[in-house]
Amino acid sequence: MIFCYNKAHVGDCLMIITADDGGQPLDVDSRGDVTRLTGKNSGEVVGWNVFHISKHVPDLTGNGQIELSDKQLKAVNDLLKQSGFSEQLAADTSPKLVVGFVKSCKKHPDSDHLSITQTEVDNGDVLQIVCGAPNIKAGLKVVVAKPGAMLPDGTIIWPGVLRGVESFGMICSARELGLPDAPQKKGILELPYDAAVGEPFVPAI
């Protein structure tokens, strides 16, 4: 679940993204200051907009993706209930940008530039990630954007299929991470080998 707030450019609206809409048409259900967005095809709730949010959560700040405190989340859930919605939101506080270790890397069978990796992330989990970087190889420590991550440019990472192969995240370049003086040439960011797998990656900007 992703919470976004940017009063200067979007207005006093808390945007909550709960799932990938996949480009499908959306059903819009507005009740007072709360709007629920549901996929017409999937029937799944993909997001919420809470307008005039500072009236309901006066201490909200941020410029892009934000984290809500327990008190702020309770205020949002109270508002949903008061507006007649039955859903309650639960924050996912697990890190979405983490240090990963590329355990294996092989060429994609239907592409001359894509590779299929098995990349270990936190808690020993291994994600299959399709990567197009020319410097990807087994044995690297890298930055992994797990499903549900939002990059600095607003891109949200969801599971997908690339040339018929499932991919569950993205291995990031310095430019995608918004790092200063990032090289413009293609290539993932290679971390020192002693970087701890599963540790949150916090860009030093």
PDB file of all heavy atoms in Angstrom, residues 69-110:
ATOM      1  N   SER A  69       1.775   7.703  10.413  1.00  0.00           N
ATOM      2  CA  SER A  69       1.902   7.193  11.767  1.00  0.00           C
ATOM      3  C   SER A  69       0.654   6.370  12.105  1.00  0.00           C
ATOM      4  O   SER A  69      -0.364   6.433  11.393  1.00  0.00           O
ATOM      5  CB  SER A  69       2.049   8.350  12.754  1.00  0.00           C
ATOM      6  OG  SER A  69       0.843   9.102  12.809  1.00  0.00           O
ATOM      7  N   ASP A  70       0.718   5.617  13.181  1.00  0.00           N
ATOM      8  CA  ASP A  70      -0.454   4.851  13.615  1.00  0.00           C
ATOM      9  C   ASP A  70      -1.644   5.777  13.856  1.00  0.00           C
ATOM     10  O   ASP A  70      -2.786   5.448  13.502  1.00  0.00           O
ATOM     11  CB  ASP A  70      -0.134   4.071  14.894  1.00  0.00           C
ATOM     12  CG  ASP A  70       0.861   2.940  14.659  1.00  0.00           C
ATOM     13  OD1 ASP A  70       1.073   2.568  13.488  1.00  0.00           O
ATOM     14  OD2 ASP A  70       1.437   2.448  15.647  1.00  0.00           O
ATOM     15  N   LYS A  71      -1.378   6.936  14.441  1.00  0.00           N
ATOM     16  CA  LYS A  71      -2.445   7.902  14.715  1.00  0.00           C
ATOM     17  C   LYS A  71      -3.051   8.438  13.425  1.00  0.00           C
ATOM     18  O   LYS A  71      -4.277   8.557  13.300  1.00  0.00           O
ATOM     19  CB  LYS A  71      -1.886   9.050  15.555  1.00  0.00           C
ATOM     20  CG  LYS A  71      -2.906  10.110  15.916  1.00  0.00           C
ATOM     21  CD  LYS A  71      -2.265  11.212  16.753  1.00  0.00           C
ATOM     22  CE  LYS A  71      -3.269  12.327  17.074  1.00  0.00           C
ATOM     23  NZ  LYS A  71      -2.625  13.412  17.870  1.00  0.00           N
ATOM     24  N   GLN A  72      -2.208   8.727  12.445  1.00  0.00           N
ATOM     25  CA  GLN A  72      -2.706   9.240  11.171  1.00  0.00           C
ATOM     26  C   GLN A  72      -3.508   8.177  10.428  1.00  0.00           C
ATOM     27  O   GLN A  72      -4.562   8.468   9.836  1.00  0.00           O
ATOM     28  CB  GLN A  72      -1.535   9.720  10.313  1.00  0.00           C
ATOM     29  CG  GLN A  72      -0.871  10.979  10.841  1.00  0.00           C
ATOM     30  CD  GLN A  72       0.415  11.297  10.123  1.00  0.00           C
ATOM     31  OE1 GLN A  72       1.110  10.398   9.610  1.00  0.00           O
ATOM     32  NE2 GLN A  72       0.781  12.562  10.079  1.00  0.00           N
ATOM     33  N   LEU A  73      -3.019   6.930  10.441  1.00  0.00           N
ATOM     34  CA  LEU A  73      -3.735   5.846   9.768  1.00  0.00           C
ATOM     35  C   LEU A  73      -5.099   5.628  10.421  1.00  0.00           C
ATOM     36  O   LEU A  73      -6.098   5.393   9.728  1.00  0.00           O
ATOM     37  CB  LEU A  73      -2.910   4.567   9.802  1.00  0.00           C
ATOM     38  CG  LEU A  73      -3.511   3.362   9.080  1.00  0.00           C
ATOM     39  CD1 LEU A  73      -3.727   3.654   7.604  1.00  0.00           C
ATOM     40  CD2 LEU A  73      -2.631   2.134   9.255  1.00  0.00           C
ATOM     41  N   LYS A  74      -5.148   5.713  11.742  1.00  0.00           N
ATOM     42  CA  LYS A  74      -6.427   5.562  12.436  1.00  0.00           C
ATOM     43  C   LYS A  74      -7.398   6.660  12.019  1.00  0.00           C
ATOM     44  O   LYS A  74      -8.593   6.404  11.812  1.00  0.00           O
ATOM     45  CB  LYS A  74      -6.229   5.589  13.944  1.00  0.00           C
ATOM     46  CG  LYS A  74      -7.527   5.392  14.734  1.00  0.00           C
ATOM     47  CD  LYS A  74      -7.306   5.416  16.228  1.00  0.00           C
ATOM     48  CE  LYS A  74      -8.597   5.105  16.992  1.00  0.00           C
ATOM     49  NZ  LYS A  74      -9.703   6.008  16.642  1.00  0.00           N
ATOM     50  N   ALA A  75      -6.902   7.890  11.868  1.00  0.00           N
ATOM     51  CA  ALA A  75      -7.764   8.993  11.446  1.00  0.00           C
ATOM     52  C   ALA A  75      -8.328   8.740  10.048  1.00  0.00           C
ATOM     53  O   ALA A  75      -9.503   9.022   9.776  1.00  0.00           O
ATOM     54  CB  ALA A  75      -6.990  10.306  11.486  1.00  0.00           C
ATOM     55  N   VAL A  76      -7.493   8.203   9.149  1.00  0.00           N
ATOM     56  CA  VAL A  76      -7.967   7.887   7.800  1.00  0.00           C
ATOM     57  C   VAL A  76      -9.010   6.776   7.852  1.00  0.00           C
ATOM     58  O   VAL A  76     -10.063   6.851   7.199  1.00  0.00           O
ATOM     59  CB  VAL A  76      -6.785   7.490   6.895  1.00  0.00           C
ATOM     60  CG1 VAL A  76      -7.298   6.979   5.545  1.00  0.00           C
ATOM     61  CG2 VAL A  76      -5.851   8.683   6.675  1.00  0.00           C
ATOM     62  N   ASN A  77      -8.740   5.716   8.622  1.00  0.00           N
ATOM     63  CA  ASN A  77      -9.701   4.618   8.731  1.00  0.00           C
ATOM     64  C   ASN A  77     -11.007   5.067   9.373  1.00  0.00           C
ATOM     65  O   ASN A  77     -12.093   4.624   8.972  1.00  0.00           O
ATOM     66  CB  ASN A  77      -9.087   3.462   9.521  1.00  0.00           C
ATOM     67  CG  ASN A  77      -8.207   2.571   8.667  1.00  0.00           C
ATOM     68  OD1 ASN A  77      -8.483   2.371   7.492  1.00  0.00           O
ATOM     69  ND2 ASN A  77      -7.138   2.053   9.249  1.00  0.00           N
ATOM     70  N   ASP A  78     -10.928   5.961  10.361  1.00  0.00           N
ATOM     71  CA  ASP A  78     -12.147   6.512  10.969  1.00  0.00           C
ATOM     72  C   ASP A  78     -12.964   7.267   9.930  1.00  0.00           C
ATOM     73  O   ASP A  78     -14.201   7.163   9.892  1.00  0.00           O
ATOM     74  CB  ASP A  78     -11.795   7.437  12.135  1.00  0.00           C
ATOM     75  CG  ASP A  78     -11.295   6.679  13.361  1.00  0.00           C
ATOM     76  OD1 ASP A  78     -11.453   5.444  13.405  1.00  0.00           O
ATOM     77  OD2 ASP A  78     -10.740   7.331  14.271  1.00  0.00           O
ATOM     78  N   LEU A  79     -12.278   8.011   9.070  1.00  0.00           N
ATOM     79  CA  LEU A  79     -12.975   8.763   8.027  1.00  0.00           C
ATOM     80  C   LEU A  79     -13.640   7.826   7.023  1.00  0.00           C
ATOM     81  O   LEU A  79     -14.773   8.079   6.584  1.00  0.00           O
ATOM     82  CB  LEU A  79     -12.001   9.701   7.315  1.00  0.00           C
ATOM     83  CG  LEU A  79     -12.588  10.551   6.192  1.00  0.00           C
ATOM     84  CD1 LEU A  79     -13.704  11.452   6.714  1.00  0.00           C
ATOM     85  CD2 LEU A  79     -11.493  11.384   5.521  1.00  0.00           C
ATOM     86  N   LEU A  80     -12.956   6.737   6.638  1.00  0.00           N
ATOM     87  CA  LEU A  80     -13.568   5.762   5.729  1.00  0.00           C
ATOM     88  C   LEU A  80     -14.848   5.202   6.332  1.00  0.00           C
ATOM     89  O   LEU A  80     -15.881   5.094   5.646  1.00  0.00           O
ATOM     90  CB  LEU A  80     -12.585   4.626   5.435  1.00  0.00           C
ATOM     91  CG  LEU A  80     -11.768   4.709   4.144  1.00  0.00           C
ATOM     92  CD1 LEU A  80     -10.879   5.941   4.139  1.00  0.00           C
ATOM     93  CD2 LEU A  80     -10.919   3.453   3.958  1.00  0.00           C
ATOM     94  N   LYS A  81     -14.776   4.859   7.607  1.00  0.00           N
ATOM     95  CA  LYS A  81     -15.949   4.303   8.284  1.00  0.00           C
ATOM     96  C   LYS A  81     -17.077   5.323   8.361  1.00  0.00           C
ATOM     97  O   LYS A  81     -18.244   5.006   8.083  1.00  0.00           O
ATOM     98  CB  LYS A  81     -15.552   3.837   9.678  1.00  0.00           C
ATOM     99  CG  LYS A  81     -16.661   3.099  10.429  1.00  0.00           C
ATOM    100  CD  LYS A  81     -16.144   2.572  11.761  1.00  0.00           C
ATOM    101  CE  LYS A  81     -17.241   1.813  12.512  1.00  0.00           C
ATOM    102  NZ  LYS A  81     -16.744   1.281  13.811  1.00  0.00           N
ATOM    103  N   GLN A  82     -16.740   6.551   8.716  1.00  0.00           N
ATOM    104  CA  GLN A  82     -17.751   7.602   8.802  1.00  0.00           C
ATOM    105  C   GLN A  82     -18.382   7.892   7.445  1.00  0.00           C
ATOM    106  O   GLN A  82     -19.544   8.308   7.368  1.00  0.00           O
ATOM    107  CB  GLN A  82     -17.117   8.882   9.358  1.00  0.00           C
ATOM    108  CG  GLN A  82     -16.667   8.785  10.810  1.00  0.00           C
ATOM    109  CD  GLN A  82     -15.704   9.883  11.194  1.00  0.00           C
ATOM    110  OE1 GLN A  82     -15.520  10.862  10.454  1.00  0.00           O
ATOM    111  NE2 GLN A  82     -15.054   9.737  12.355  1.00  0.00           N
ATOM    112  N   SER A  83     -17.623   7.649   6.370  1.00  0.00           N
ATOM    113  CA  SER A  83     -18.133   7.900   5.022  1.00  0.00           C
ATOM    114  C   SER A  83     -18.966   6.742   4.488  1.00  0.00           C
ATOM    115  O   SER A  83     -19.491   6.828   3.374  1.00  0.00           O
ATOM    116  CB  SER A  83     -16.956   8.177   4.077  1.00  0.00           C
ATOM    117  OG  SER A  83     -16.205   9.297   4.512  1.00  0.00           O
ATOM    118  N   GLY A  84     -19.060   5.663   5.252  1.00  0.00           N
ATOM    119  CA  GLY A  84     -19.913   4.540   4.865  1.00  0.00           C
ATOM    120  C   GLY A  84     -19.204   3.410   4.166  1.00  0.00           C
ATOM    121  O   GLY A  84     -19.851   2.497   3.634  1.00  0.00           O
ATOM    122  N   PHE A  85     -17.861   3.422   4.157  1.00  0.00           N
ATOM    123  CA  PHE A  85     -17.107   2.323   3.550  1.00  0.00           C
ATOM    124  C   PHE A  85     -16.775   1.281   4.612  1.00  0.00           C
ATOM    125  O   PHE A  85     -16.470   1.621   5.762  1.00  0.00           O
ATOM    126  CB  PHE A  85     -15.807   2.843   2.910  1.00  0.00           C
ATOM    127  CG  PHE A  85     -16.034   3.726   1.717  1.00  0.00           C
ATOM    128  CD1 PHE A  85     -15.898   5.111   1.822  1.00  0.00           C
ATOM    129  CD2 PHE A  85     -16.378   3.187   0.495  1.00  0.00           C
ATOM    130  CE1 PHE A  85     -16.096   5.931   0.725  1.00  0.00           C
ATOM    131  CE2 PHE A  85     -16.584   4.000  -0.619  1.00  0.00           C
ATOM    132  CZ  PHE A  85     -16.445   5.375  -0.494  1.00  0.00           C
ATOM    133  N   SER A  86     -16.791   0.023   4.220  1.00  0.00           N
ATOM    134  CA  SER A  86     -16.523  -1.053   5.181  1.00  0.00           C
ATOM    135  C   SER A  86     -15.041  -1.397   5.265  1.00  0.00           C
ATOM    136  O   SER A  86     -14.596  -2.003   6.242  1.00  0.00           O
ATOM    137  CB  SER A  86     -17.312  -2.306   4.796  1.00  0.00           C
ATOM    138  OG  SER A  86     -16.929  -2.760   3.494  1.00  0.00           O
ATOM    139  N   GLU A  87     -14.260  -1.037   4.249  1.00  0.00           N
ATOM    140  CA  GLU A  87     -12.841  -1.385   4.238  1.00  0.00           C
ATOM    141  C   GLU A  87     -12.061  -0.595   5.284  1.00  0.00           C
ATOM    142  O   GLU A  87     -12.397   0.539   5.615  1.00  0.00           O
ATOM    143  CB  GLU A  87     -12.230  -1.111   2.855  1.00  0.00           C
ATOM    144  CG  GLU A  87     -12.783  -1.990   1.752  1.00  0.00           C
ATOM    145  CD  GLU A  87     -13.960  -1.356   1.035  1.00  0.00           C
ATOM    146  OE1 GLU A  87     -14.568  -0.408   1.596  1.00  0.00           O
ATOM    147  OE2 GLU A  87     -14.292  -1.808  -0.063  1.00  0.00           O
ATOM    148  N   GLN A  88     -11.016  -1.239   5.784  1.00  0.00           N
ATOM    149  CA  GLN A  88     -10.061  -0.582   6.667  1.00  0.00           C
ATOM    150  C   GLN A  88      -8.669  -0.830   6.096  1.00  0.00           C
ATOM    151  O   GLN A  88      -8.362  -1.915   5.593  1.00  0.00           O
ATOM    152  CB  GLN A  88     -10.170  -1.110   8.095  1.00  0.00           C
ATOM    153  CG  GLN A  88     -11.487  -0.736   8.783  1.00  0.00           C
ATOM    154  CD  GLN A  88     -11.503   0.721   9.241  1.00  0.00           C
ATOM    155  OE1 GLN A  88     -10.988   1.058  10.293  1.00  0.00           O
ATOM    156  NE2 GLN A  88     -12.109   1.592   8.450  1.00  0.00           N
ATOM    157  N   LEU A  89      -7.820   0.172   6.169  1.00  0.00           N
ATOM    158  CA  LEU A  89      -6.504   0.118   5.558  1.00  0.00           C
ATOM    159  C   LEU A  89      -5.453  -0.305   6.591  1.00  0.00           C
ATOM    160  O   LEU A  89      -5.512   0.110   7.751  1.00  0.00           O
ATOM    161  CB  LEU A  89      -6.128   1.478   4.985  1.00  0.00           C
ATOM    162  CG  LEU A  89      -7.151   2.093   4.010  1.00  0.00           C
ATOM    163  CD1 LEU A  89      -6.672   3.453   3.547  1.00  0.00           C
ATOM    164  CD2 LEU A  89      -7.382   1.165   2.822  1.00  0.00           C
ATOM    165  N   ALA A  90      -4.510  -1.109   6.146  1.00  0.00           N
ATOM    166  CA  ALA A  90      -3.401  -1.536   7.002  1.00  0.00           C
ATOM    167  C   ALA A  90      -2.099  -1.168   6.312  1.00  0.00           C
ATOM    168  O   ALA A  90      -1.876  -1.526   5.143  1.00  0.00           O
ATOM    169  CB  ALA A  90      -3.463  -3.040   7.251  1.00  0.00           C
ATOM    170  N   ALA A  91      -1.253  -0.431   7.005  1.00  0.00           N
ATOM    171  CA  ALA A  91       0.006   0.009   6.410  1.00  0.00           C
ATOM    172  C   ALA A  91       0.993  -1.150   6.312  1.00  0.00           C
ATOM    173  O   ALA A  91       1.085  -1.982   7.215  1.00  0.00           O
ATOM    174  CB  ALA A  91       0.609   1.138   7.237  1.00  0.00           C
ATOM    175  N   ASP A  92       1.702  -1.200   5.203  1.00  0.00           N
ATOM    176  CA  ASP A  92       2.791  -2.162   5.036  1.00  0.00           C
ATOM    177  C   ASP A  92       4.096  -1.400   5.240  1.00  0.00           C
ATOM    178  O   ASP A  92       4.513  -0.622   4.384  1.00  0.00           O
ATOM    179  CB  ASP A  92       2.738  -2.772   3.634  1.00  0.00           C
ATOM    180  CG  ASP A  92       3.878  -3.743   3.374  1.00  0.00           C
ATOM    181  OD1 ASP A  92       4.665  -3.998   4.307  1.00  0.00           O
ATOM    182  OD2 ASP A  92       3.988  -4.239   2.236  1.00  0.00           O
ATOM    183  N   THR A  93       4.724  -1.593   6.381  1.00  0.00           N
ATOM    184  CA  THR A  93       5.924  -0.827   6.712  1.00  0.00           C
ATOM    185  C   THR A  93       7.220  -1.556   6.353  1.00  0.00           C
ATOM    186  O   THR A  93       8.307  -1.058   6.647  1.00  0.00           O
ATOM    187  CB  THR A  93       5.950  -0.496   8.223  1.00  0.00           C
ATOM    188  OG1 THR A  93       5.900  -1.722   8.966  1.00  0.00           O
ATOM    189  CG2 THR A  93       4.754   0.367   8.604  1.00  0.00           C
ATOM    190  N   SER A  94       7.107  -2.712   5.721  1.00  0.00           N
ATOM    191  CA  SER A  94       8.325  -3.433   5.330  1.00  0.00           C
ATOM    192  C   SER A  94       9.039  -2.646   4.228  1.00  0.00           C
ATOM    193  O   SER A  94       8.404  -2.051   3.361  1.00  0.00           O
ATOM    194  CB  SER A  94       7.982  -4.839   4.829  1.00  0.00           C
ATOM    195  OG  SER A  94       7.195  -4.772   3.657  1.00  0.00           O
ATOM    196  N   PRO A  95      10.385  -2.617   4.243  1.00  0.00           N
ATOM    197  CA  PRO A  95      11.113  -1.848   3.229  1.00  0.00           C
ATOM    198  C   PRO A  95      10.899  -2.426   1.840  1.00  0.00           C
ATOM    199  O   PRO A  95      10.842  -3.640   1.663  1.00  0.00           O
ATOM    200  CB  PRO A  95      12.573  -1.976   3.669  1.00  0.00           C
ATOM    201  CG  PRO A  95      12.620  -3.208   4.506  1.00  0.00           C
ATOM    202  CD  PRO A  95      11.295  -3.297   5.191  1.00  0.00           C
ATOM    203  N   LYS A  96      10.776  -1.540   0.880  1.00  0.00           N
ATOM    204  CA  LYS A  96      10.557  -1.966  -0.499  1.00  0.00           C
ATOM    205  C   LYS A  96      11.787  -1.774  -1.377  1.00  0.00           C
ATOM    206  O   LYS A  96      11.863  -2.319  -2.469  1.00  0.00           O
ATOM    207  CB  LYS A  96       9.366  -1.197  -1.093  1.00  0.00           C
ATOM    208  CG  LYS A  96       8.035  -1.525  -0.425  1.00  0.00           C
ATOM    209  CD  LYS A  96       7.650  -2.974  -0.645  1.00  0.00           C
ATOM    210  CE  LYS A  96       6.294  -3.339  -0.084  1.00  0.00           C
ATOM    211  NZ  LYS A  96       6.277  -3.364   1.382  1.00  0.00           N
ATOM    212  N   LEU A  97      12.748  -0.978  -0.915  1.00  0.00           N
ATOM    213  CA  LEU A  97      14.039  -0.856  -1.594  1.00  0.00           C
ATOM    214  C   LEU A  97      15.072  -1.517  -0.691  1.00  0.00           C
ATOM    215  O   LEU A  97      15.354  -1.030   0.411  1.00  0.00           O
ATOM    216  CB  LEU A  97      14.414   0.607  -1.814  1.00  0.00           C
ATOM    217  CG  LEU A  97      13.739   1.361  -2.949  1.00  0.00           C
ATOM    218  CD1 LEU A  97      14.208   2.812  -2.954  1.00  0.00           C
ATOM    219  CD2 LEU A  97      14.040   0.723  -4.299  1.00  0.00           C
ATOM    220  N   VAL A  98      15.616  -2.647  -1.133  1.00  0.00           N
ATOM    221  CA  VAL A  98      16.520  -3.415  -0.275  1.00  0.00           C
ATOM    222  C   VAL A  98      17.752  -3.858  -1.059  1.00  0.00           C
ATOM    223  O   VAL A  98      17.765  -3.880  -2.293  1.00  0.00           O
ATOM    224  CB  VAL A  98      15.810  -4.667   0.308  1.00  0.00           C
ATOM    225  CG1 VAL A  98      14.602  -4.275   1.135  1.00  0.00           C
ATOM    226  CG2 VAL A  98      15.403  -5.634  -0.803  1.00  0.00           C
ATOM    227  N   VAL A  99      18.768  -4.215  -0.307  1.00  0.00           N
ATOM    228  CA  VAL A  99      19.964  -4.809  -0.898  1.00  0.00           C
ATOM    229  C   VAL A  99      19.643  -6.240  -1.309  1.00  0.00           C
ATOM    230  O   VAL A  99      19.058  -7.013  -0.529  1.00  0.00           O
ATOM    231  CB  VAL A  99      21.132  -4.805   0.104  1.00  0.00           C
ATOM    232  CG1 VAL A  99      22.347  -5.526  -0.484  1.00  0.00           C
ATOM    233  CG2 VAL A  99      21.491  -3.379   0.496  1.00  0.00           C
ATOM    234  N   GLY A 100      19.989  -6.581  -2.533  1.00  0.00           N
ATOM    235  CA  GLY A 100      19.762  -7.927  -3.026  1.00  0.00           C
ATOM    236  C   GLY A 100      21.056  -8.577  -3.501  1.00  0.00           C
ATOM    237  O   GLY A 100      22.065  -7.894  -3.735  1.00  0.00           O
ATOM    238  N   PHE A 101      21.016  -9.886  -3.634  1.00  0.00           N
ATOM    239  CA  PHE A 101      22.166 -10.649  -4.120  1.00  0.00           C
ATOM    240  C   PHE A 101      21.719 -11.494  -5.310  1.00  0.00           C
ATOM    241  O   PHE A 101      20.795 -12.309  -5.188  1.00  0.00           O
ATOM    242  CB  PHE A 101      22.724 -11.555  -3.026  1.00  0.00           C
ATOM    243  CG  PHE A 101      23.831 -12.470  -3.487  1.00  0.00           C
ATOM    244  CD1 PHE A 101      25.050 -11.956  -3.890  1.00  0.00           C
ATOM    245  CD2 PHE A 101      23.642 -13.844  -3.531  1.00  0.00           C
ATOM    246  CE1 PHE A 101      26.069 -12.787  -4.327  1.00  0.00           C
ATOM    247  CE2 PHE A 101      24.650 -14.692  -3.966  1.00  0.00           C
ATOM    248  CZ  PHE A 101      25.867 -14.162  -4.370  1.00  0.00           C
ATOM    249  N   VAL A 102      22.357 -11.277  -6.452  1.00  0.00           N
ATOM    250  CA  VAL A 102      21.999 -12.014  -7.672  1.00  0.00           C
ATOM    251  C   VAL A 102      22.603 -13.411  -7.583  1.00  0.00           C
ATOM    252  O   VAL A 102      23.808 -13.603  -7.768  1.00  0.00           O
ATOM    253  CB  VAL A 102      22.497 -11.272  -8.927  1.00  0.00           C
ATOM    254  CG1 VAL A 102      22.058 -12.031 -10.186  1.00  0.00           C
ATOM    255  CG2 VAL A 102      21.969  -9.840  -8.964  1.00  0.00           C
ATOM    256  N   LYS A 103      21.756 -14.389  -7.281  1.00  0.00           N
ATOM    257  CA  LYS A 103      22.232 -15.764  -7.108  1.00  0.00           C
ATOM    258  C   LYS A 103      22.498 -16.448  -8.447  1.00  0.00           C
ATOM    259  O   LYS A 103      23.414 -17.265  -8.567  1.00  0.00           O
ATOM    260  CB  LYS A 103      21.209 -16.574  -6.304  1.00  0.00           C
ATOM    261  CG  LYS A 103      20.943 -16.024  -4.911  1.00  0.00           C
ATOM    262  CD  LYS A 103      20.048 -16.947  -4.103  1.00  0.00           C
ATOM    263  CE  LYS A 103      20.806 -18.210  -3.713  1.00  0.00           C
ATOM    264  NZ  LYS A 103      20.007 -19.047  -2.774  1.00  0.00           N
ATOM    265  N   SER A 104      21.658 -16.135  -9.442  1.00  0.00           N
ATOM    266  CA  SER A 104      21.871 -16.729 -10.766  1.00  0.00           C
ATOM    267  C   SER A 104      21.365 -15.764 -11.828  1.00  0.00           C
ATOM    268  O   SER A 104      20.523 -14.896 -11.558  1.00  0.00           O
ATOM    269  CB  SER A 104      21.152 -18.076 -10.893  1.00  0.00           C
ATOM    270  OG  SER A 104      19.740 -17.909 -10.896  1.00  0.00           O
ATOM    271  N   CYS A 105      21.906 -15.912 -13.016  1.00  0.00           N
ATOM    272  CA  CYS A 105      21.550 -15.022 -14.122  1.00  0.00           C
ATOM    273  C   CYS A 105      21.701 -15.790 -15.425  1.00  0.00           C
ATOM    274  O   CYS A 105      22.756 -16.374 -15.688  1.00  0.00           O
ATOM    275  CB  CYS A 105      22.458 -13.792 -14.102  1.00  0.00           C
ATOM    276  SG  CYS A 105      22.149 -12.594 -15.414  1.00  0.00           S
ATOM    277  N   LYS A 106      20.633 -15.820 -16.205  1.00  0.00           N
ATOM    278  CA  LYS A 106      20.706 -16.495 -17.498  1.00  0.00           C
ATOM    279  C   LYS A 106      20.013 -15.645 -18.556  1.00  0.00           C
ATOM    280  O   LYS A 106      19.171 -14.796 -18.240  1.00  0.00           O
ATOM    281  CB  LYS A 106      20.059 -17.876 -17.427  1.00  0.00           C
ATOM    282  CG  LYS A 106      18.566 -17.868 -17.141  1.00  0.00           C
ATOM    283  CD  LYS A 106      18.003 -19.292 -17.073  1.00  0.00           C
ATOM    284  CE  LYS A 106      16.488 -19.273 -16.847  1.00  0.00           C
ATOM    285  NZ  LYS A 106      15.933 -20.647 -16.784  1.00  0.00           N
ATOM    286  N   LYS A 107      20.350 -15.879 -19.800  1.00  0.00           N
ATOM    287  CA  LYS A 107      19.778 -15.116 -20.887  1.00  0.00           C
ATOM    288  C   LYS A 107      18.287 -15.446 -21.056  1.00  0.00           C
ATOM    289  O   LYS A 107      17.869 -16.595 -20.896  1.00  0.00           O
ATOM    290  CB  LYS A 107      20.516 -15.409 -22.198  1.00  0.00           C
ATOM    291  CG  LYS A 107      21.918 -14.833 -22.242  1.00  0.00           C
ATOM    292  CD  LYS A 107      21.880 -13.293 -22.198  1.00  0.00           C
ATOM    293  CE  LYS A 107      23.265 -12.695 -22.321  1.00  0.00           C
ATOM    294  NZ  LYS A 107      23.224 -11.212 -22.205  1.00  0.00           N
ATOM    295  N   HIS A 108      17.526 -14.420 -21.367  1.00  0.00           N
ATOM    296  CA  HIS A 108      16.107 -14.608 -21.679  1.00  0.00           C
ATOM    297  C   HIS A 108      16.007 -15.361 -23.004  1.00  0.00           C
ATOM    298  O   HIS A 108      16.695 -15.013 -23.965  1.00  0.00           O
ATOM    299  CB  HIS A 108      15.439 -13.235 -21.772  1.00  0.00           C
ATOM    300  CG  HIS A 108      13.941 -13.274 -21.812  1.00  0.00           C
ATOM    301  ND1 HIS A 108      13.238 -13.847 -22.857  1.00  0.00           N
ATOM    302  CD2 HIS A 108      13.000 -12.784 -20.949  1.00  0.00           C
ATOM    303  CE1 HIS A 108      11.934 -13.713 -22.634  1.00  0.00           C
ATOM    304  NE2 HIS A 108      11.776 -13.079 -21.484  1.00  0.00           N
ATOM    305  N   PRO A 109      15.152 -16.387 -23.098  1.00  0.00           N
ATOM    306  CA  PRO A 109      15.093 -17.183 -24.334  1.00  0.00           C
ATOM    307  C   PRO A 109      14.491 -16.440 -25.525  1.00  0.00           C
ATOM    308  O   PRO A 109      14.659 -16.881 -26.663  1.00  0.00           O
ATOM    309  CB  PRO A 109      14.206 -18.378 -23.935  1.00  0.00           C
ATOM    310  CG  PRO A 109      13.372 -17.873 -22.813  1.00  0.00           C
ATOM    311  CD  PRO A 109      14.260 -16.928 -22.057  1.00  0.00           C
ATOM    312  N   ASP A 110      13.816 -15.304 -25.264  1.00  0.00           N
ATOM    313  CA  ASP A 110      13.148 -14.596 -26.354  1.00  0.00           C
ATOM    314  C   ASP A 110      13.599 -13.143 -26.430  1.00  0.00           C
ATOM    315  O   ASP A 110      12.845 -12.265 -26.807  1.00  0.00           O
ATOM    316  CB  ASP A 110      11.624 -14.669 -26.164  1.00  0.00           C
ATOM    317  CG  ASP A 110      10.860 -14.185 -27.385  1.00  0.00           C
ATOM    318  OD1 ASP A 110      11.368 -14.381 -28.506  1.00  0.00           O
ATOM    319  OD2 ASP A 110       9.781 -13.585 -27.214  1.00  0.00           O
TER     320      ASP A 110
END
